[in-house]
């Protein structure tokens, strides 16, 4: 319902909440998800000792 619908019913309205731009919201959520996945992948690689293995392979 809109603010005007509530006013027509005779209910007092203190304010309203505007609609969100869903496309931008979804894009931001997807970007955050990919960033979080990349961060966790790097952290997991560091915990697994991947940099040390690479150094040993190159030496």
């Amino acid at each position: 319902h809109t603010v005007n619908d509530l006013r027509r019913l005779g209910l007092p309205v203190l304010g309203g909440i505007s609609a969100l731009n869903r496309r931008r919201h979804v894009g931001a959520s997807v970007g955050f998800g990919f960033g979080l996945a990349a961060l966790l992948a790097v952290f997991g690689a560091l915990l697994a000792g991947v940099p040390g293995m690479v150094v040993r392979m190159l030496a």
Side-chain angles (χ1 to χ4, degrees):
H1 297 279
T2 65
V3 172
N4 289 330
D5 292 338
L6 296 173
R7 285 185 180 141
R8 275 188 229 124
L9 291 173
L11 297 172
V13 178
L14 296 176
I17 299 173
S18 61
L20 294 174
N21 185 349
R22 292 198 187 273
R23 228 181 238 168
R24 186 174 60 179
H25 184 67
V26 169
S29 297
V30 169
F32 177 77
F34 279 124
L36 182 62
L39 181 66
L40 290 174
V42 169
F43 183 68
L46 288 173
L47 284 178
V50 171
M53 288 188 290
V54 171
V55 169
R56 277 185 245 119
M57 287 190 318
L58 294 176

